[in-house]
Amino acid sequence: MRKTLWIICSLAYLLSGCESKAQTFPGETWTRAENPEAMGWPDAERSNFERYIIDSTNITGLVLVHKGQIVFEYGNINENSYIASCRKSILAILFGKYVENGTIDLDKTLEELNINDVTELFPEEKKATVKDLISARSGVYLRGSNGGDFRRFAPERGSIAPGSHWLYNNWDFNVAGYIFEQETQSNIYDEIGAQLAEPLQMQDWDITLQQKSGDNSISKFPAYHMWFSTRDMARIGLLMLRNGKWKDVQVIPEDWVHEVIKQRTSYSEAQKSVPLLKEDGLDLGYGYMWWLIENTNDPKLKNAYSAQGALGQNITVYPNIDVVLAFKTNSVYRRRNSIQTQMKVTKKAVAIYNGQ
């Protein structure tokens, strides 16, 4: 039988452990909840969820975190593998420090930044700003050096003013990475180490695995691909959930976290631009390189947001219930997890929660 996607939150499982205002963070290793059922995660429902993962997905590692502790895990959570477009959401986090100190000006245009490509930009396209790039609203519809976007839905080049239309195009995201390095004079992977891996005590971060790639005959701006473990992705989700603070340190400016997940494109506009998004099972808007879950009546899903990547890569944050979900599908298996499947997993994960 098809398991119900929506389960109403209950007050019956309020326990002393859940009432504590103290925020829990992992140290060198994650803490596992001793009694997840007492925290509102029924054993039977977690077993059903595991069976769903095995039977209906290709997920190779999954971690579900509640109040800073792991309440459910599946597969190999320490294996580093390709995280596809989740890379864009991680880049968005890195911007915060440099936007705050003025190193990166989000209102600078491509012309001011001396950005051009193998195919020359039109004068109107050069008016696009950094802000337009990271919100996928540049109006530049050149091919990226790598595939995996929605460029096939692009309007005719030169027909759209920068900032006026949303389209998920890798050209925008790859150029955003190039500008980040140009303006900061720092490598993206070094910044992940300094801004995230070290302060968050990531267990599996390996800079030697990280590499850029792309067809430079199409675009000179490569994709900054990333390899992470599931449990380290969960740390990134927890950092976002805690508004950029890790223990007693403000790792990412709090104001920037709010900016990143602020709506720049509504779900209705995104679906009008890319009709395929209507099939995802959740209505998704867009911030700064993070997807926003919108138009839901489920209190557990309200205000939630996601990093998503092809082949089944995901970090979803549920602020209303203090939950982070991270999962991955190792791409070496060449098995595809559709966005629709990812959205089903994000709904089913919180559907098993029966407490507050």
Side-chain angles (χ1 to χ4, degrees):
M1 294 180 62
R2 182 182 178 89
K3 191 167 80 68
T4 303
L5 297 180
W6 313 99
I7 297 177
I8 299 172
C9 289
S10 170
L11 296 176
Y13 288 88
L14 271 176
L15 299 173
S16 59
C18 298
E19 294 171 349
S20 173
K21 296 182 179 180
Q23 293 181 337
T24 301
F25 294 87
E28 294 183 356
T29 60
W30 280 93
T31 301
R32 270 77 174 171
E34 292 185 1
N35 190 351
E37 184 159 32
M39 296 174 67
W41 302 91
D43 293 341
E45 294 297 334
R46 285 185 292 119
S47 294
N48 290 339
F49 183 50
E50 182 173 20
R51 177 51 51 191
Y52 172 77
I53 294 169
I54 295 169
D55 291 346
S56 304
T57 79
N58 295 319
I59 287 171
T60 54
L62 182 147
V63 173
L64 188 59
V65 175
H66 183 211
K67 296 186 181 295
Q69 298 182 80
I70 292 177
V71 293
F72 177 86
E73 62 184 279
Y74 168 82
N76 189 340
I77 66 172
N78 62 301
E79 177 186 35
N80 281 313
S81 62
Y82 173 69
I83 64 167
S85 288
C86 290
R87 68 186 176 99
K88 301 158 189 175
S89 302
I90 292 174
L91 177 66
I93 297 173
L94 301 180
F95 264 83
K97 168 185 174 180
Y98 293 106
V99 171
E100 183 180 61
N101 67 22
T103 300
I104 295 176
D105 181 351
L106 295 182
D107 292 319
K108 273 192 175 181
T109 65
L110 299 183
E111 184 173 24
E112 291 172 319
L113 293 162
N114 298 312
I115 298 297
N116 218 323
D117 209 346
V118 174
T119 301
E120 291 281 324
L121 269 67
F122 295 158
E124 184 69 13
E125 291 172 329
K126 292 182 180 179
K127 295 178 183 178
T129 64
V130 179
K131 185 182 297 183
D132 293 331
L133 293 175
I134 63 177
S135 55
R137 303 184 69 91
S138 74
V140 180
Y141 303 126
L142 295 177
R143 289 173 62 190
S145 63
N146 65 309
D149 56 23
F150 293 130
R151 182 177 172 275
R152 63 190 180 277
F153 295 99
E156 183 181 352
R157 270 192 74 197
S159 66
I160 299 295
S164 63
H165 181 78
W166 180 85
L167 187 78
Y168 189 89
N169 183 10
N170 278 338
W171 192 88
D172 284 11
F173 307 125
N174 294 344
V175 175
Y178 177 87
I179 291 171
F180 176 87
E181 294 190 335
Q182 173 181 281
E183 296 300 282
T184 65
Q185 292 296 294
S186 182
N187 180 280
I188 287 172
Y189 303 131
D190 290 336
E191 288 291 325
I192 292 174
Q195 290 197 48
L196 299 175
E198 184 175 345
L200 273 56
Q201 296 179 281
M202 288 186 180
Q203 294 168 259
D204 307 304
W205 170 252
D206 184 350
I207 197 169
T208 67
L209 297 176
Q210 317 304 318
Q211 59 181 347
K212 300 174 184 175
S213 68
D215 187 338
N216 60 15
S217 70
I218 295 173
S219 173
K220 68 181 184 181
F221 304 107
Y224 40 92
H225 295 303
M226 299 177 189
W227 282 253
F228 275 85
S229 70
T230 311
R231 61 186 180 184
D232 284 348
M233 290 167 68
R235 288 178 187 252
I236 291 171
L238 186 59
L239 176 70
M240 291 292 290
L241 179 63
R242 299 289 182 251
N243 296 311
K245 192 172 185 179
W246 195 262
K247 299 179 182 178
D248 297 324
V249 179
Q250 193 69 45
V251 174
I252 303 299
E254 182 174 359
D255 289 346
W256 180 247
V257 173
H258 297 317
E259 286 295 305
V260 163
I261 58 175
K262 181 179 179 180
Q263 185 199 75
R264 311 291 165 176
T265 299
S266 69
Y267 79 91
S268 57
E269 182 183 356
Q271 291 177 359
K272 182 178 180 180
S273 174
V274 180
L276 285 177
L277 294 175
K278 295 178 182 178
E279 304 171 8
D280 286 347
L282 283 174
D283 292 326
L284 301 174
Y286 207 67
Y288 284 158
M289 297 192 280
W290 282 78
W291 296 91
L292 315 176
I293 296 176
E294 300 181 341
N295 192 36
T296 176
N297 293 321
D298 189 319
K300 292 175 284 187
L301 290 169
K302 284 187 175 180
N303 305 311
Y305 51 93
S306 281
Q308 295 182 24
L311 305 172
Q313 329 301 326
N314 194 288
I315 306 169
T316 300
V317 180
Y318 308 86
N320 283 21
I321 55 173
D322 203 352
V323 167
V324 171
L325 171 69
F327 60 86
K328 291 197 304 102
T329 303
N330 190 326
S331 62
V332 301
Y333 302 120
R334 302 297 178 194
R335 299 180 301 183
R336 181 162 294 275
N337 261 38
S338 69
I339 295 297
Q340 291 95 325
T341 298
Q342 292 195 56
M343 292 299 94
K344 287 180 181 179
V345 174
T346 64
K347 288 197 290 186
K348 285 180 178 291
V350 296
I352 65 177
Y353 177 53
N354 195 31
Q356 288 187 0

